[in-house]
Amino acid sequence: MTSAAEQRAPAGEPATGSGQPAAVNGARRPVPPAPLVWPGAATPLGARFRTGPDGVAGTNFALWAAGAEAVRVCLFDEAGRETRIPLTELTHEIWHGFVPGVMPGQRYGYRVDGRWDPWTGARWNPAKLLLDPYARAVDGEFALPPQVYGHVRDWPDQSVADTVRDERDSAPYVPKGVVVHDDDDWSDDRRPKTPWADSVIYELHVRGFTQRHPDIPEELRGTYAGLAHPAAVEHLVRLGVTAVELLPVHQFAHEDHLLRRGLTNYWGYNSIGYFAPHAGYAASGTTGQQVGEFKRMVRALHAAGIEVILDVVYNHTAEAGELGPTLSLKGIDNRGYYRLQGDARRYADYTGCGNTLHVVQPQVLRLITDSLRYWVTEMGVDGFRFDLAAALARSMHDVDMLSPFLAVIAQDPVLRRVKLIAEPWDIGSGGYQVGAFPPLWTEWNDRYRGAVRDFWRGALPDVREMGYRLSGSSDLYAWGGRRPYASVNFVTAHDGFTLRDLVSYQAKHNEANGEDNRDGTDDNRSWNCGAEGETDDEGVRALRRRQLRNLLTTLLLSTGVPMLVAGDEFGRTQHGNNNAYCQDNEIGWVDWSLLREPGWRALSELTARLIALRHRHPVLRRRAFFSGRAQTADGLRDLAWFTARGTEMTEGDWYAPAATLGMYLSGRDIPGRDERGAPVVDDSFLAVLHAGGRPTGFVLPGPPWAERYEVVVDTSAEEQAGEPGTVHRAGARITVPGRTVLLLRVA
């Protein structure tokens, strides 16, 4: 009687050496004889086209596969015929060889042979064609038929299915890597190099941002070329943002449970190729053309003064857990790439996606840092936002701010100079690390998101939390030399309600995802303003637009780095879906027709005006935390807080229930000097935030704070009149309409 591990799938064609038959779509074809292979070099990893000995052109293949017993590189012609070439050279656990005559555009993959022993984490299966982790382009779509699984997916006893090796050839069903020739030196590119304090980030999806834009040619919509089109760039420039943060553009795959429901992973947080631009976003082709198209997009954005930040997913891959497909790392060296549990059949999962990359391992750390450097030096990007960054900072189990990953980044001469943003949590024990990342890093500040949402829906017991968040979150970041721009402030992100939905829905409406509305968070901190969803009640609609003005104004006046989400500035809606990760359709795409409606166009214009105001006034984008102390004999401080009575806040006022807060920013006490060494001096401002539903009186502080005040922004008005505005004398009691932000310049 055989064990489950010794049992095999029904007869398919096992992976064999060169010259033996192979099954392709059920037809048996002879495998052409392998071409000559020379020893080549162990570095760099991946497939690199170059000139070899005697001036012969070819490609060097190098793959780290420490525990493997044999590695073959497999070349595919246009008809899908496969040529298998053994790599016999092994240097420092890297299998390598130079194949003469292999030119750019060649499609390839690997077959890796070794032990099949899932109980010890060994899952080698040469029947499975594997994507090169260093592939710079990928051709073909990932589907998930049974043949792409290393185990017998439909084994009768599912409790041991992952231990039964599947012998069917996966090559006809998986994408291939593509050899790419890259000789671009970027000498004609000029990076914007925007200082952190001056940055305004705009999070967007390459496909979703451009798919419905009427001024982008139809054949370019949804692509890198579409984002590079003047119509897309013009909107970004008009808005005034300094950086786009692109949702994942690494090659990714779709999960099986989505494909079965006729959906796809729209957001792309399921990476499988850390060097390859996602082929689905290319208009020019997928046999290497996507690389050049991505670069042209970066150049177009740089020429407009806009940096490119990538949202990267190095915490897990698309291979999921032990019941997931075998696409790349799992079949190359499962134990070397992934964190396994004590029961090595199982994966340690700190991500909620089935697996976690084992970043403590040198080869995994090398894969990640090589990828990061590649995107900076050869693809031109300016920074990264790290999804679930706490998972990368784990040493053996606990999150460790002295972990190898963070240490390597801190000393790397390329990476320490680019923008680094952490999503400072994962789902594992101790994974919430907001405020804990070292000084080189900035962080998504979800404490800011929660406080601002709660303030404007009337759910804060007092104004203490708002005081910290408006002034740069010094309680989280004023340590170790960190600055206010360590806080990336946001009210919405791709994950959750859009800004319009935040004021239109009390609860999530994710039915379109096919999970019975169980997915997505229930902690939305939203308020529908009196009606759930879309309504014809003009009073509710007007209140919602006012709340949007309040939220955007609060965000863009706060100290720190503001982040907007594409379309929030003109009322984009997902119709209450707060987890649109699988909605590659009009739910997930930006609706540009909204800009034709006066109310939404006015919101966009206000957003652009607020960003321009921020750019003009350094007091709104400070490079150092406020001291709150008087710098001169008149008692004027760089930051002061006022009650509606016009008196400075006392300790008791901070703990008392309140819906109104006044924040005074002094423009004469800004630390630092300009580029020429002169002191930085600016106007002073008073911001009054009133979240109550009824109008309130507010006494404007008198000397030494001001003699007069001029209204710059009044969110109670649908249309902003522009500057100069109404002038009030200091000491006057003004009426602040319900749910309003007033920004007044000290005159």
Side-chain angles (χ1 to χ4, degrees):
M1 183 172 179
T2 59
S3 70
E6 295 170 322
Q7 299 177 63
R8 297 291 183 259
E13 194 65 38
T16 59
S18 174
Q20 295 188 18
V24 179
N25 293 328
R28 296 171 66 86
R29 296 175 179 167
V31 178
L36 178 69
V37 57
W38 298 343
T43 58
L45 291 169
R48 291 294 188 99
F49 173 75
R50 63 180 177 85
T51 301
D54 302 322
V56 175
T59 297
N60 191 84
F61 295 92
L63 178 73
W64 182 90
E69 296 171 0
V71 173
R72 282 164 288 179
V73 61
C74 306
L75 308 179
F76 293 84
D77 65 16
E78 292 183 0
R81 290 187 293 265
E82 177 181 354
T83 301
R84 302 178 185 178
I85 306 168
L87 298 181
T88 57
E89 300 294 325
L90 182 61
T91 304
H92 304 311
E93 302 179 328
I94 296 170
W95 300 78
H96 57 91
F98 178 85
V99 185
V102 171
M103 307 299 284
Q106 173 67 58
R107 299 186 307 142
Y108 74 101
Y110 289 107
R111 296 184 187 273
V112 182
D113 206 347
R115 289 187 308 114
W116 176 262
D117 186 11
W119 288 271
T120 63
R123 293 182 177 272
W124 284 284
N125 186 343
K128 307 307 166 184
L129 187 77
L130 307 173
L131 183 68
D132 181 1
Y134 280 73
R136 299 189 171 206
V138 176
D139 180 51
E141 279 285 340
F142 279 98
L144 294 177
Q147 290 88 342
V148 306
Y149 290 76
H151 65 282
V152 180
R153 182 182 174 188
D154 52 359
W155 192 256
D157 184 355
Q158 283 292 294
S159 67
V160 295
D162 70 288
T163 69
V164 185
R165 192 165 83 170
D166 187 297
E167 303 288 357
R168 289 171 288 189
D169 184 10
S170 69
Y173 309 100
V174 294
K176 316 301 188 289
V178 181
V179 176
V180 175
H181 181 41
D182 191 353
D183 59 355
D184 196 332
D185 63 3
W186 287 89
S187 60
D188 60 339
D189 181 68
R190 295 292 178 269
R191 294 177 184 263
K193 297 182 179 179
T194 307
W196 258 125
D198 300 339
S199 297
V200 177
I201 298 173
Y202 191 76
E203 187 192 44
L204 65 83
H205 189 288
V206 169
R207 179 167 167 81
F209 185 69
T210 60
Q211 187 65 28
R212 301 181 68 185
H213 199 300
D215 298 327
I216 296 175
E218 188 171 353
E219 66 273 15
L220 300 184
R221 295 176 190 172
T223 69
Y224 306 118
L227 183 53
H229 190 273
V233 176
E234 179 186 354
H235 179 78
L236 300 172
V237 172
R238 182 170 61 247
L239 198 57
V241 299
T242 68
V244 291
E245 183 175 304
L246 306 182
L247 267 68
V249 295
H250 289 164
Q251 185 70 39
F252 60 86
H254 307 297
E255 293 92 331
D256 179 66
H257 69 92
L258 292 176
L259 295 173
R260 289 200 306 269
R261 298 202 299 270
L263 300 170
T264 60
N265 189 319
Y266 168 58
W267 285 349
Y269 288 91
N270 206 37
S271 299
I272 196 64
Y274 290 132
F275 290 77
H278 185 63
Y281 300 154
S284 54
T286 62
T287 54
Q289 298 92 337
Q290 61 264 54
V291 177
E293 184 177 330
F294 184 93
K295 291 180 179 182
R296 290 189 292 274
M297 176 197 73
V298 172
R299 279 186 167 88
L301 291 166
H302 282 180
I306 297 169
E307 294 184 306
V308 178
I309 297 171
L310 303 187
D311 195 334
V312 290
V313 190
Y314 293 114
N315 53 75
H316 75 280
T317 76
E319 294 186 297
E322 61 271 12
L323 296 177
T326 297
L327 306 175
S328 182
L329 306 180
K330 185 180 288 186
I332 294 171
D333 195 316
N334 185 56
R335 295 177 300 186
Y337 280 108
Y338 292 115
R339 290 179 180 268
L340 304 179
Q341 298 183 23
D343 173 4
R345 275 180 63 191
R346 315 298 182 190
Y347 292 76
D349 183 9
Y350 297 113
T351 66
C353 300
N355 64 58
T356 306
L357 280 179
H358 202 346
V359 181
V360 174
Q361 297 279 18
Q363 66 278 0
V364 180
L365 191 57
R366 179 180 180 180
L367 171 67
I368 294 172
T369 53
D370 282 352
S371 168
L372 292 169
R373 280 189 293 268
Y374 171 73
W375 287 96
V376 174
T377 60
E378 299 192 42
M379 300 296 274
V381 306
D382 305 285
F384 305 94
R385 178 265 187 189
F386 292 81
D387 180 66
L388 300 181
L392 298 172
R394 290 183 181 270
S395 290
M396 294 313 295
H397 300 288
D398 296 334
V399 178
D400 179 7
M401 291 305 158
L402 298 176
S403 67
F405 172 73
L406 295 178
V408 166
I409 296 290
Q411 59 80 43
D412 189 284
V414 172
L415 301 179
R416 69 188 181 202
R417 296 200 304 266
V418 302
K419 287 182 166 66
L420 302 172
I421 306 170
E423 183 183 36
W425 52 77
D426 64 19
I427 69 166
S429 175
Y432 187 76
Q433 294 290 323
V434 172
F437 274 71
L440 188 65
W441 291 74
T442 65
E443 299 175 14
W444 270 24
N445 185 354
D446 70 329
R447 293 276 298 275
Y448 180 95
R449 173 182 60 186
V452 172
R453 289 186 178 194
D454 282 347
F455 178 78
W456 285 111
R457 70 188 181 106
L460 283 182
D462 51 53
V463 292
R464 283 177 294 159
E465 186 79 1
M466 275 298 283
Y468 277 121
R469 304 306 148 233
L470 290 168
S471 59
S473 296
S474 60
D475 58 328
L476 299 175
Y477 301 112
W479 63 272
R482 302 189 85 180
R483 301 297 183 94
Y485 47 77
S487 176
V488 175
N489 299 330
F490 65 105
V491 179
T492 58
H494 65 275
D495 188 3
F497 280 147
T498 67
L499 203 65
R500 178 176 171 181
D501 289 356
L502 188 67
V503 301
S504 303
Y505 293 90
Q506 206 73 19
K508 65 187 181 184
H509 295 267
N510 297 355
E511 290 80 8
N513 296 355
E515 300 177 41
D516 297 323
N517 207 36
R518 295 189 305 269
D519 63 302
T521 182
D522 293 311
D523 183 22
N524 294 296
R525 306 190 185 197
S526 59
W527 176 48
N528 64 17
C529 297
E532 186 71 359
E534 296 303 309
T535 177
D536 294 328
D537 187 323
E538 187 50 45
V540 172
R541 289 157 65 102
L543 175 56
R544 289 174 176 176
R545 290 193 297 271
R546 180 181 293 198
Q547 287 290 79
L548 293 181
R549 294 192 293 273
N550 290 333
L551 291 163
L552 285 168
T553 301
T554 302
L555 174 65
L556 291 166
L557 295 182
S558 298
T559 300
V561 178
M563 185 185 78
L564 301 162
V565 178
D568 273 356
E569 73 275 17
F570 52 83
R572 173 177 168 257
T573 177
Q574 292 177 168
H575 307 292
N577 192 320
N578 75 351
N579 189 35
Y581 78 105
C582 55
Q583 298 299 325
D584 188 4
N585 51 47
E586 292 188 356
I587 293 176
W589 301 339
V590 173
D591 181 5
W592 293 91
S593 70
L594 293 168
L595 282 171
R596 295 198 294 267
E597 300 180 23
W600 299 126
R601 187 169 60 249
L603 185 67
S604 179
E605 291 168 354
L606 172 63
T607 306
R609 185 165 167 246
L610 288 165
I611 293 174
L613 186 75
R614 185 180 182 90
H615 288 325
R616 287 199 306 272
H617 292 286
V619 72
L620 299 177
R621 42 187 174 82
R622 287 173 56 101
R623 288 164 165 75
F625 286 105
F626 295 98
S627 71
R629 295 188 296 271
Q631 305 296 324
T632 57
D634 61 10
L636 191 68
R637 293 188 295 282
D638 58 359
L639 174 67
W641 302 96
F642 290 91
T643 68
R645 303 183 303 275
T647 59
E648 289 192 65
M649 299 273 290
T650 64
E651 184 173 358
D653 291 327
W654 285 111
Y655 287 85
T660 309
L661 181 64
M663 178 177 67
Y664 183 96
L665 306 172
S666 173
R668 78 178 195 186
D669 297 311
I670 302 173
R673 297 183 294 171
D674 65 18
E675 293 177 349
R676 296 178 177 83
V680 177
V681 179
D682 193 12
D683 293 329
S684 297
F685 290 92
L686 175 68
V688 180
L689 293 83
H690 175 51
R694 297 181 178 276
T696 188
F698 192 95
V699 177
L700 299 175
W705 307 103
E707 297 289 343
R708 290 175 295 127
Y709 295 89
E710 176 187 82
V711 177
V712 177
V713 175
D714 177 356
T715 63
S716 68
E718 188 87 40
E719 299 280 347
Q720 298 295 305
E723 301 177 40
T726 304
V727 176
H728 300 283
R729 62 176 177 80
R733 186 178 188 275
I734 63 172
T735 298
V736 182
R739 300 190 177 94
T740 294
V741 178
L742 291 180
L743 180 66
L744 305 103
R745 180 189 289 112
V746 171

